[in-house]
Amino acid sequence: MHKLVPGQSRKHGLPPGTPVFVGQVREEAPEVTLFDYDEAQFKTERVTDIAGCAPLKDKPSVTWINASGLHDVGLIQSLSETFGLHPLVQEDILNTNQRPKVEDHGDYLYVVLRMLQWNDAAGEAIAEQVSLVLGRGFVLSFQERAGDVFDSIRDRIRAGQGRIRKMGADYLAYSLIDAVVDAYFVVLEKQGEKLEAVEEELALAPDRATLRRINALKREVLMLRKSVWPLREVLSGLERAESGLLSDGLGVYLRDAYGHTIQIVDTIETFRDLLASTFDTYLSALSNRTNEVMKLLTIIATIFIPLTFIVGIYGMNFKYMPELDWAWGYAVVLLLMAAIAGAMVLYFRRKTWL
Amino acid sequence: MHKLVPGQSRKHGLPPGTPVFVGQVREEAPEVTLFDYDEAQFKTERVTDIAGCAPLKDKPSVTWINASGLHDVGLIQSLSETFGLHPLVQEDILNTNQRPKVEDHGDYLYVVLRMLQWNDAAGEAIAEQVSLVLGRGFVLSFQERAGDVFDSIRDRIRAGQGRIRKMGADYLAYSLIDAVVDAYFVVLEKQGEKLEAVEEELALAPDRATLRRINALKREVLMLRKSVWPLREVLSGLERAESGLLSDGLGVYLRDAYGHTIQIVDTIETFRDLLASTFDTYLSALSNRTNEVMKLLTIIATIFIPLTFIVGIYGMNFKYMPELDWAWGYAVVLLLMAAIAGAMVLYFRRKTWL
Amino acid sequence: MHKLVPGQSRKHGLPPGTPVFVGQVREEAPEVTLFDYDEAQFKTERVTDIAGCAPLKDKPSVTWINASGLHDVGLIQSLSETFGLHPLVQEDILNTNQRPKVEDHGDYLYVVLRMLQWNDAAGEAIAEQVSLVLGRGFVLSFQERAGDVFDSIRDRIRAGQGRIRKMGADYLAYSLIDAVVDAYFVVLEKQGEKLEAVEEELALAPDRATLRRINALKREVLMLRKSVWPLREVLSGLERAESGLLSDGLGVYLRDAYGHTIQIVDTIETFRDLLASTFDTYLSALSNRTNEVMKLLTIIATIFIPLTFIVGIYGMNFKYMPELDWAWGYAVVLLLMAAIAGAMVLYFRRKTWL
Amino acid sequence: MHKLVPGQSRKHGLPPGTPVFVGQVREEAPEVTLFDYDEAQFKTERVTDIAGCAPLKDKPSVTWINASGLHDVGLIQSLSETFGLHPLVQEDILNTNQRPKVEDHGDYLYVVLRMLQWNDAAGEAIAEQVSLVLGRGFVLSFQERAGDVFDSIRDRIRAGQGRIRKMGADYLAYSLIDAVVDAYFVVLEKQGEKLEAVEEELALAPDRATLRRINALKREVLMLRKSVWPLREVLSGLERAESGLLSDGLGVYLRDAYGHTIQIVDTIETFRDLLASTFDTYLSALSNRTNEVMKLLTIIATIFIPLTFIVGIYGMNFKYMPELDWAWGYAVVLLLMAAIAGAMVLYFRRKTWL
Amino acid sequence: MHKLVPGQSRKHGLPPGTPVFVGQVREEAPEVTLFDYDEAQFKTERVTDIAGCAPLKDKPSVTWINASGLHDVGLIQSLSETFGLHPLVQEDILNTNQRPKVEDHGDYLYVVLRMLQWNDAAGEAIAEQVSLVLGRGFVLSFQERAGDVFDSIRDRIRAGQGRIRKMGADYLAYSLIDAVVDAYFVVLEKQGEKLEAVEEELALAPDRATLRRINALKREVLMLRKSVWPLREVLSGLERAESGLLSDGLGVYLRDAYGHTIQIVDTIETFRDLLASTFDTYLSALSNRTNEVMKLLTIIATIFIPLTFIVGIYGMNFKYMPELDWAWGYAVVLLLMAAIAGAMVLYFRRKTWL
């Protein structure tokens, strides 16, 4: 998924509130897009003049400005300043290792989320930090790279589908959060499939690759968990917030989204329990295999070592060994040995080793 | 029991409040049945005209409408709209992966439960989501398929047995919840039997099938736990609710049902502890078995390898080996070897290996 | 101790408040005994006419009615009705799988406890549900079978020893609870002895029986824990209760009993930790034993396999093998082999394997 | 350290508040000593007439009476009655298995502590219950045997060193508690040394004695933990207590002592984690050793079994075996075998087994 | 990192509030440096006359006095007394095993932190206790040795960079705490690298050194955790503190730093989970290796033991063994044995052992 502790230390020694981008610098150009809508109409465009957005703040329509590509620190800074964000918020937007949280700054709410998108090619989820700023009549969203889980919201704004055009900026912010939460279910489902594949493998022929897969899955689930637990607090925090920015009718929606995060947390905890079981099963499969190997060795040794002893006896060079001179000596010894071997095989069969 | 993460992702990208059925589509026709009763009389019928139920809402008698078969989204929607349910509630009724919860919507309480029924044929519990809506004088119940744990309640209404006909819609809702909780005991008892069977197997002859059974049971208990923990919160939520829909006398009943969920939770936690023990026992049985195999090998090798060495000596072709010419050489060597073998056997017996 | 999930499911489908006895039906006749006392005098008798007890309720003296044998449902019902108990309380008295709890019903407090008595013959504790009802001036107690931990209380009432005759019904109820709590210490002590026996066995010669003993003890401790944890809540519930039935002076006694339950809980948690250690020790003893077996095999094989190879060499039938014709060939080879064997023994001794 | 569940059951069946000493009866005579001091002067003596201490209660100076030797129940009782202690407090003083706790009885505070003293001879800590009673102007302390951690306090009173003579009875009580807490650090340090010794042993040559040492240490840490956790509550309870017996200025001292208990708890939890690691390391050392043994066996067997086969071939008695008649046959076979053995050795070296 | 329980016991028996340095005594001379600044100007110097600093306390400018080298107890004492610190605070400054905490002493806040600095040479973090005292217009800081994480703050004061010169002493104290927190990220990153190195090693060729590395890392993470958990409480304590020493505008900064500690705690918990996994992987690698060894032994034994038996047969000395006289007997037996060996090899290949 991603590194355990990303380059946070790059910031070490700088004064608090210094905006530094700590993520991976990308080639793609940053892009700022604008949606401005009310019930009757909507407008969408790519923004080039950021300072020119300032008047939108005070218009009665809902304004949504989405910036993708945080490595252009200057752009993020000018956008933040246009909308009057606190230096620490600017720092947090760029510090892409934030724990999900919500902060009430009076004039605006600042929400940090971790957006997961399933990448089929890599067979794993791609994580990215999304910052939302909900002000009076506007929402700013910041994401690390182009591509997100918000396309259905854009479609709904364009089509005037559902409630979105009839409601305020707070509902837009909720919709963005809800889209992020919904995308977790996709990732969970994929990980559920992986888990089931691992369990099947364990039942058939587990090897070291299985253990690697179990460990990789463990780590993915751990990372997912690290993103979702604080998300739960974010949503219950929003629900309980006494900010004038959130209308009364939004409560029921936030509770609904909160319920979803609880469900995700429950499922993750179940995954953890099941993963612990898979490791136990793997260990016992190893033990079983050692057992099998040992059994084969024991069967071979137990049958042939006594026989080898018998043929050894008649290989001795004593002068007076009466059996050696018997006409049927050889045949009798062969038959005796066959009988011993047969008895052994029966014994092992009764022990269900054969 | 059921898939780890069912088709929730089918909803990904839709606006909140869109009613989508995420469960398994069934062949059976959906069915809506009505009970309408007061202390003096009762009426029951299959409903075909849903809109025609609207007047029942305001009658003083208690109205119970039960809908089974959630895959008919239109039917559910028209029923929901007749009784004025919030779009998010409609969505939740159809989203059959809800975590049990209770929501106070002012005019009505919305309760989600997970109903378990033991299926003897499959040897496991079948889980299904049940939604209850308690309004002033009416209860709506929604279930995924026909067949439920409510037959005894229907019988009691028909027979006028117990308190049910004398009390209001809140008591009916409580009775439905109580029936769901009671059915958990049946499942617990069956799982308790499975656990005891596994423990017996472990004491006799554990094999890989035992491990599979342990793991299956672990997973069942995990799923059960995931259903019951939130149920506990549902019942304590109802008990503490300050809704006018719940009469004062109901408190003692809700507390009683709450006590039952606590008892179920306790038993589940005990199961988890015992299941962890069974795995440990399985692992140590494997270790014991390896020990047994090793012992056999060691006994055979320790007895015959030295003997084979001795016969090897007298198979050497040196010209001057005085023993070979002795008349009793052969017999003495045979006796010597018998003595060595006997000593070994005694040694192993003293070590309690034989 | 007892079954994991007893016959609770026998009640499935009955209306709430139906009194059904779910425990084991006994042969012994149920028995109801009465104590009625104040500071000056006391009276005790076997009750046959239950309805005739009604006037005792309102007398200023303290009345204690103890019923043993819950399988006589009619008797329990008539007693309950004489003292005006709620149908759910009647149900709970008979449902002998209750979790310990306390309920304030205004006119009376209802307390469920689990009474443990050590049975020396069985070598384990016998558990039984005890229900107490504390009303104004009277205490009812219900137990599954004859024989309890209350004899010392009966003696104290008879002898007028201690405070009991000078105080009210609330002190009697406390005394009964305290006697139940005190009996836990006896069980703990016995289990502590078992645990120490197991630990000694582990240090000497652990076998499968040891594991069985560990698992049995684990299960007993689990059951004990399931009884004591809620007991703690019962006592803190009583201490905080604002019921007029409890006099002010009782607080210090309840706090004292509460302290005892905490102490029991602490000890149980310690037992759990120690039991987990014993299993670990058992597993490592198994590992050690495999090691021992392997070492013996390796010593034997490492000494004799090379020697067998040497004697094999001189058993070859090559025409030109100069050693075979030497007069001292045989002796030299024997000495060589003795030297090799000696070196091996020294080597194993240095490795502390011998 | 001490038995898991000491003789608490000796009290079973007695009325609450009966003073019974449950600890080990000692030979040494009980001893009661008195300190009476204010800023200007101090007096210390052995008390023989306990009733004669009554007037000290009301003197403005600070009175400290320390009783050691709880097996003289009469002495403890007369002391308790002189200072007006509740019967349950008397019982608790003698019941030496109390969990540390604080109780506010209005006129006095009753504190139970567990005092640990390191015993170098035994190589373990000796635990003992200490009861403190803080009244207006006096402190009573009760301990099981002579010898305690309070000598430095006695010295400070005698010398008038530090604040102790200038402050009240509450400061004295605090000083006693603080001395008990300080003594825990000594025990912790000793156990830390033991833990480090075990870890060193594990790195060198772990054997069964190591496991015994780990288990013993685990148990000691468990017992220590059982003493310290409630101590934490005692100190936070005292800090928050609204008793008039504690002057305002004492808060900062109690907070300080509370901080020490937190530090002790932290260290104990760290010990537990490290002890769990040591067991894991022990288990893996066992596994490693089995591996070593197996490797040796495999090396010997893999080198000599094929060679033995070869010499076996030339020990066959076929009439027509051309190699047997070659002049260099013997030498060639010897060389061949040397080559095979050499190849095997190289192979094992590459596998780093040799 | 450091000893489990450092020399705290050196203080045992001393009166509370006695300043004793418990750390390691160093050679380097203690040093006291002063910063005094306001928005317009700043001054920095090495302090020799400590009493001379007293007037700075009341100047409107911000005064920062940093003392390094706690082993000079007299120096610390005179500094503490100049600024009126409580004796317990003096004691805590010198007792370098304090748990991080914050204490409100009215006139000043006392904060204890644990400062970590990564030492590249040692490959581990060096821990040191830092005490901060925030008074009205001044900050005192005490550290165990020269060298800290505050250089960037000194640079910012000198350069007038950022907000620091414009704000009060509370902001300076916050900056110091923030610098300490920031330094944790560096340590985390290094430990993350170690963890990844261990994981790679596990995938390639784990040996005992790997286990040692895992255990060392476990211990480091444990120590880190012990430092960070209380730090979290320190920051939330400061945030909620109602001290007049903290200006309103500081809340947002403290919340920010609090967020960082939460993030650190999260990462540490993830480390712990991953470290537990690495141990499991190590154990299973050991099991796998035993398996490999066993397989080799079994292959060799299974191929050669039967062959050795066959050659043994034709080494017997019976008079009448017809095969021995056949012209092709030798060749046929050789071919037969080759066939058996070939079949075995095929068998093992099908079992994927070869």
Coordinates of all heavy atoms in Angstrom, one line a residue, chain A residues 152 156 163 174 185 189 199 253 262-263 266 273-274 277 280-281 284 291 294 298 305 309 316-317 319 321 323, chain B residues 9 13 15-16 87-88 97 99 211 215 218-219 272 279 290 293-294 304 307 314-317 324-325 330:
Chain A
S152 N -19.5 10.7 -9.5 CA -20.9 10.5 -9.4 C -21.5 11.8 -8.9 O -22.7 12.2 -9.2 CB -21.3 9.3 -8.6 OG -20.9 9.6 -7.3
R156 N -24.3 14.1 -10.7 CA -25.5 14.5 -10.0 C -25.7 16.0 -10.1 O -26.9 16.5 -10.3 CB -25.6 14.0 -8.6 CG -26.1 12.6 -8.5 CD -26.3 12.2 -7.1 NE -25.1 11.6 -6.6 CZ -24.7 11.6 -5.3 NH1 -25.5 12.2 -4.4 NH2 -23.6 11.0 -4.9
R163 N -31.0 15.2 -4.4 CA -31.3 16.4 -3.6 C -30.2 17.5 -3.8 O -30.4 18.6 -3.3 CB -31.3 16.0 -2.1 CG -32.6 15.6 -1.6 CD -32.4 14.9 -0.2 NE -33.1 13.7 -0.1 CZ -32.7 12.5 -0.6 NH1 -31.5 12.4 -1.2 NH2 -33.4 11.4 -0.6
Y174 N -21.0 16.8 2.9 CA -21.5 15.5 3.3 C -21.4 14.5 2.2 O -20.9 13.4 2.3 CB -22.9 15.6 3.9 CG -23.6 14.3 3.7 CD1 -23.3 13.1 4.5 CD2 -24.6 14.1 2.7 CE1 -23.9 11.9 4.3 CE2 -25.2 12.9 2.5 CZ -24.9 11.8 3.3 OH -25.5 10.6 3.1
F185 N -16.1 0.4 0.9 CA -16.8 -0.9 0.8 C -16.2 -1.6 -0.4 O -16.1 -2.9 -0.4 CB -18.3 -0.7 0.6 CG -19.0 -0.4 1.8 CD1 -19.5 0.9 2.1 CD2 -19.2 -1.3 2.8 CE1 -20.1 1.2 3.3 CE2 -19.9 -1.1 4.0 CZ -20.3 0.2 4.2
E189 N -14.5 -5.3 -0.1 CA -15.0 -6.4 -0.8 C -13.8 -7.1 -1.5 O -13.7 -8.3 -1.6 CB -16.0 -5.9 -1.9 CG -17.1 -6.9 -2.1 CD -18.3 -6.2 -2.7 OE1 -18.4 -4.9 -2.7 OE2 -19.1 -6.8 -3.4
E199 N -7.8 -18.4 2.1 CA -8.3 -19.6 2.8 C -8.4 -20.8 2.0 O -8.2 -21.9 2.4 CB -9.7 -19.2 3.4 CG -9.5 -18.2 4.6 CD -10.8 -17.8 5.2 OE1 -11.9 -18.0 4.5 OE2 -10.8 -17.3 6.3
Y253 N -28.3 12.5 7.8 CA -27.4 12.0 6.8 C -26.0 11.7 7.4 O -25.4 10.7 7.1 CB -27.2 13.1 5.7 CG -28.4 13.3 4.8 CD1 -29.3 14.3 5.0 CD2 -28.7 12.3 3.9 CE1 -30.4 14.4 4.3 CE2 -29.9 12.4 3.1 CZ -30.7 13.5 3.3 OH -31.9 13.6 2.6
I262 N -19.1 2.6 11.1 CA -19.1 1.6 12.1 C -19.1 0.2 11.4 O -18.4 -0.7 11.9 CB -20.4 1.7 13.0 CG1 -20.4 3.0 13.7 CG2 -20.5 0.5 13.9 CD1 -19.9 3.0 15.1
Q263 N -19.9 0.1 10.4 CA -20.0 -1.2 9.7 C -18.7 -1.6 9.1 O -18.3 -2.8 9.1 CB -21.1 -1.0 8.6 CG -21.8 -2.2 8.1 CD -22.8 -1.9 7.1 OE1 -23.3 -0.8 7.0 NE2 -23.0 -2.8 6.2
D266 N -16.4 -2.7 11.9 CA -16.8 -4.1 12.3 C -16.2 -5.1 11.3 O -15.6 -6.1 11.7 CB -18.3 -4.2 12.2 CG -19.0 -3.9 13.5 OD1 -18.3 -3.3 14.4 OD2 -20.2 -4.2 13.7
D273 N -9.5 -10.9 12.8 CA -9.7 -12.1 13.5 C -9.5 -13.3 12.6 O -8.8 -14.3 12.9 CB -11.1 -12.2 14.1 CG -11.2 -11.6 15.5 OD1 -10.2 -11.5 16.1 OD2 -12.3 -11.2 15.9
L274 N -10.1 -13.2 11.4 CA -9.9 -14.3 10.4 C -8.5 -14.4 9.9 O -8.0 -15.5 9.7 CB -10.9 -14.0 9.2 CG -12.4 -14.1 9.5 CD1 -13.2 -13.8 8.3 CD2 -12.7 -15.6 10.0
S277 N -6.6 -16.4 12.3 CA -6.9 -17.8 12.1 C -6.1 -18.3 10.9 O -5.6 -19.5 11.0 CB -8.4 -18.0 11.8 OG -9.1 -18.0 13.0
D280 N -2.7 -19.2 11.9 CA -2.7 -20.5 12.8 C -2.9 -21.7 11.9 O -2.2 -22.7 12.1 CB -3.9 -20.4 13.7 CG -3.6 -19.4 14.9 OD1 -2.5 -18.9 15.0 OD2 -4.6 -19.1 15.6
T281 N -3.7 -21.6 10.9 CA -4.0 -22.7 10.0 C -2.7 -23.0 9.2 O -2.3 -24.1 9.0 CB -5.1 -22.4 9.0 OG1 -6.2 -22.0 9.8 CG2 -5.5 -23.6 8.2
S284 N -0.3 -24.8 11.4 CA -0.6 -26.2 11.6 C -0.5 -27.0 10.3 O -0.2 -28.2 10.4 CB -2.0 -26.3 12.2 OG -3.0 -26.0 11.2
N291 N 4.9 -33.9 9.8 CA 4.3 -35.2 10.2 C 4.3 -36.2 9.0 O 4.8 -37.3 9.2 CB 2.9 -35.0 10.6 CG 2.7 -35.3 12.1 OD1 3.4 -36.1 12.6 ND2 1.9 -34.5 12.7
M294 N 7.8 -37.2 8.1 CA 8.3 -38.1 9.2 C 7.7 -39.5 9.0 O 8.4 -40.5 9.2 CB 7.9 -37.6 10.5 CG 8.7 -36.4 11.0 SD 10.4 -36.8 11.3 CE 10.2 -38.3 12.2
T298 N 9.7 -43.0 8.5 CA 9.5 -44.0 9.5 C 9.1 -45.3 8.9 O 9.5 -46.4 9.2 CB 8.5 -43.5 10.6 OG1 9.0 -42.3 11.1 CG2 8.4 -44.5 11.7
I305 N 15.0 -51.6 7.7 CA 16.1 -51.7 8.6 C 16.2 -53.1 9.2 O 17.2 -53.8 9.2 CB 16.2 -50.6 9.7 CG1 16.6 -49.3 9.0 CG2 17.2 -50.9 10.8 CD1 16.7 -48.1 10.0
F309 N 19.0 -56.1 8.5 CA 19.7 -56.8 9.5 C 19.7 -58.3 9.2 O 20.7 -59.0 9.4 CB 19.0 -56.5 10.9 CG 19.3 -57.4 12.0 CD1 20.6 -57.5 12.5 CD2 18.4 -58.3 12.5 CE1 21.0 -58.4 13.5 CE2 18.7 -59.2 13.5 CZ 20.0 -59.2 14.0
M316 N 27.2 -63.2 7.1 CA 28.4 -63.4 8.0 C 29.2 -64.6 7.5 O 28.6 -65.6 6.9 CB 27.9 -63.6 9.5 CG 27.3 -62.4 10.1 SD 27.1 -62.4 11.9 CE 25.8 -63.7 12.0
N317 N 30.5 -64.6 7.9 CA 31.3 -65.6 7.3 C 31.7 -66.8 8.3 O 32.8 -67.4 8.2 CB 32.6 -65.0 6.8 CG 32.4 -64.0 5.7 OD1 31.5 -64.3 4.8 ND2 33.0 -62.9 5.7
K319 N 32.1 -70.2 10.0 CA 32.3 -71.5 9.4 C 31.1 -72.4 9.6 O 30.6 -73.1 8.7 CB 33.5 -72.2 10.0 CG 34.8 -71.9 9.2 CD 35.8 -73.0 9.2 CE 37.0 -72.6 8.4 NZ 38.2 -72.4 9.2
M321 N 27.5 -72.3 10.1 CA 26.2 -71.7 10.1 C 25.3 -72.7 9.3 O 25.2 -72.7 8.1 CB 26.1 -70.4 9.4 CG 26.8 -69.3 10.2 SD 26.8 -67.7 9.4 CE 25.1 -67.3 9.4
E323 N 22.2 -73.0 8.5 CA 21.2 -72.6 7.6 C 21.8 -72.5 6.2 O 21.1 -72.7 5.2 CB 20.5 -71.3 8.0 CG 19.8 -71.2 9.3 CD 20.8 -70.7 10.4 OE1 21.9 -71.1 10.4 OE2 20.3 -69.9 11.2
Chain B
S9 N -21.1 -2.8 -2.6 CA -20.4 -2.0 -3.6 C -21.3 -1.7 -4.8 O -21.0 -0.8 -5.6 CB -19.1 -2.6 -4.0 OG -19.3 -3.8 -4.7
G13 N -21.5 5.1 -5.8 CA -21.7 6.2 -6.8 C -23.1 6.7 -6.9 O -23.4 7.6 -7.6
P15 N -26.6 8.5 -5.4 CA -26.8 9.5 -4.3 C -27.4 8.9 -3.1 O -28.1 7.9 -3.2 CB -27.8 10.5 -5.0 CG -28.4 9.7 -6.1 CD -27.4 8.7 -6.6
P16 N -27.0 9.4 -1.9 CA -27.6 8.9 -0.6 C -29.1 8.9 -0.7 O -29.7 9.8 -1.2 CB -27.1 9.9 0.4 CG -26.0 10.7 -0.2 CD -26.2 10.6 -1.7
P87 N -36.4 9.0 3.0 CA -35.7 8.3 2.0 C -34.5 7.4 2.5 O -34.3 6.3 2.0 CB -35.2 9.4 1.0 CG -36.1 10.5 1.3 CD -36.6 10.4 2.7
L88 N -33.8 7.9 3.5 CA -32.7 7.2 4.0 C -33.1 5.9 4.7 O -32.5 4.9 4.7 CB -31.9 8.0 5.0 CG -30.9 9.0 4.4 CD1 -30.3 9.9 5.5 CD2 -29.8 8.3 3.6
N97 N -27.3 -5.2 4.5 CA -26.1 -5.4 5.3 C -26.0 -4.4 6.4 O -24.9 -4.2 6.9 CB -24.9 -5.3 4.4 CG -25.0 -6.1 3.1 OD1 -25.4 -7.2 3.2 ND2 -24.7 -5.5 2.0
R99 N -25.9 -2.7 10.0 CA -25.6 -3.1 11.3 C -26.9 -2.8 12.1 O -27.5 -1.8 12.0 CB -24.5 -2.2 11.8 CG -23.8 -2.6 13.0 CD -22.7 -1.6 13.3 NE -21.9 -2.0 14.4 CZ -22.0 -1.6 15.6 NH1 -22.9 -0.8 15.9 NH2 -21.2 -2.1 16.6
L211 N -9.7 -29.4 12.2 CA -9.3 -28.0 12.1 C -10.3 -27.2 11.2 O -10.6 -26.0 11.6 CB -7.9 -27.9 11.5 CG -7.3 -26.5 11.4 CD1 -7.3 -25.8 12.7 CD2 -6.0 -26.5 10.7
N215 N -12.3 -23.9 12.4 CA -12.3 -22.7 11.7 C -13.7 -22.2 11.3 O -14.0 -21.0 11.4 CB -11.3 -22.7 10.5 CG -9.9 -22.5 11.0 OD1 -9.6 -22.0 12.0 ND2 -9.0 -23.0 10.2
K218 N -15.4 -21.0 14.3 CA -14.9 -19.6 14.7 C -15.6 -18.6 13.9 O -16.0 -17.5 14.4 CB -13.4 -19.6 14.3 CG -12.5 -19.4 15.5 CD -11.1 -19.3 15.0 CE -10.1 -19.8 16.1 NZ -8.8 -20.0 15.6
R219 N -15.7 -18.8 12.6 CA -16.3 -17.8 11.7 C -17.8 -17.6 12.0 O -18.3 -16.5 12.0 CB -16.1 -18.3 10.3 CG -16.6 -17.4 9.2 CD -16.5 -18.0 7.8 NE -15.1 -17.8 7.3 CZ -14.9 -17.1 6.2 NH1 -15.9 -16.6 5.5 NH2 -13.7 -17.0 5.8
R272 N -15.7 -18.0 22.2 CA -14.5 -17.5 21.6 C -13.3 -18.0 22.4 O -12.3 -18.5 21.8 CB -14.4 -16.0 21.5 CG -15.1 -15.5 20.3 CD -15.4 -14.0 20.4 NE -14.2 -13.2 20.6 CZ -13.5 -12.7 19.6 NH1 -13.8 -12.8 18.4 NH2 -12.4 -12.0 19.9
F279 N -8.1 -24.8 19.4 CA -7.0 -24.7 18.4 C -5.7 -25.1 19.1 O -4.9 -25.8 18.5 CB -6.9 -23.3 17.8 CG -5.8 -23.2 16.8 CD1 -6.0 -23.8 15.5 CD2 -4.6 -22.7 17.1 CE1 -4.9 -23.8 14.6 CE2 -3.6 -22.7 16.2 CZ -3.7 -23.2 15.0
T290 N 3.7 -36.1 16.1 CA 5.0 -36.1 15.5 C 5.9 -36.8 16.5 O 6.8 -37.7 16.1 CB 5.5 -34.7 15.4 OG1 4.6 -34.0 14.5 CG2 6.9 -34.6 14.8
V293 N 5.5 -40.6 16.1 CA 6.2 -41.1 14.9 C 7.7 -41.2 15.1 O 8.3 -42.2 14.8 CB 5.8 -40.2 13.7 CG1 6.6 -40.6 12.5 CG2 4.4 -40.1 13.4
M294 N 8.2 -40.1 15.7 CA 9.6 -40.0 16.0 C 10.1 -41.2 16.9 O 11.1 -41.7 16.8 CB 10.0 -38.7 16.7 CG 9.9 -37.5 15.8 SD 11.2 -37.6 14.6 CE 12.6 -38.0 15.6
F304 N 18.0 -51.8 15.8 CA 18.6 -52.6 14.6 C 19.9 -52.0 14.1 O 20.7 -52.8 13.5 CB 17.5 -52.7 13.5 CG 16.5 -53.7 13.8 CD1 15.2 -53.3 14.3 CD2 16.8 -55.1 13.7 CE1 14.3 -54.3 14.6 CE2 15.8 -56.0 14.1 CZ 14.6 -55.6 14.5
L307 N 22.8 -53.7 15.8 CA 22.8 -55.1 15.4 C 23.4 -55.3 14.0 O 24.2 -56.2 13.8 CB 21.4 -55.8 15.5 CG 20.7 -55.7 16.9 CD1 19.4 -56.5 16.9 CD2 21.7 -56.3 18.0
Y314 N 31.0 -59.5 11.2 CA 31.4 -60.9 10.9 C 31.1 -61.2 9.4 O 31.2 -62.3 9.0 CB 30.6 -61.9 11.8 CG 31.1 -61.7 13.2 CD1 30.4 -61.0 14.2 CD2 32.4 -62.1 13.5 CE1 30.9 -60.8 15.4 CE2 32.9 -61.9 14.8 CZ 32.2 -61.2 15.7 OH 32.7 -61.0 17.0
G315 N 30.8 -60.2 8.7 CA 30.7 -60.3 7.2 C 32.0 -59.9 6.5 O 32.1 -59.9 5.3
M316 N 32.9 -59.4 7.4 CA 34.2 -58.9 6.8 C 35.0 -60.1 6.3 O 34.9 -61.2 6.9 CB 35.0 -58.1 7.8 CG 34.3 -56.8 8.1 SD 35.4 -55.6 9.0 CE 35.5 -56.4 10.6
N317 N 35.9 -59.8 5.4 CA 36.6 -60.9 4.7 C 38.1 -61.1 5.2 O 38.9 -61.5 4.4 CB 36.6 -60.8 3.2 CG 35.1 -60.8 2.7 OD1 34.3 -61.7 3.2 ND2 34.8 -60.0 1.7
L324 N 35.5 -66.6 13.6 CA 34.7 -67.2 12.5 C 34.9 -68.7 12.5 O 34.1 -69.5 12.0 CB 35.2 -66.6 11.1 CG 34.9 -65.2 10.9 CD1 35.3 -64.7 9.5 CD2 33.4 -64.9 11.0
D325 N 36.1 -69.1 13.1 CA 36.4 -70.6 13.0 C 35.8 -71.3 14.3 O 35.9 -72.5 14.3 CB 37.9 -70.8 12.9 CG 38.4 -70.1 11.6 OD1 37.6 -70.2 10.6 OD2 39.4 -69.5 11.7
Y330 N 28.8 -68.6 15.8 CA 27.5 -68.1 15.2 C 26.4 -68.0 16.4 O 25.8 -67.0 16.5 CB 27.0 -69.1 14.2 CG 25.7 -68.8 13.6 CD1 25.4 -67.5 13.1 CD2 24.7 -69.8 13.4 CE1 24.2 -67.2 12.5 CE2 23.5 -69.5 12.8 CZ 23.2 -68.2 12.4 OH 22.0 -67.9 11.8

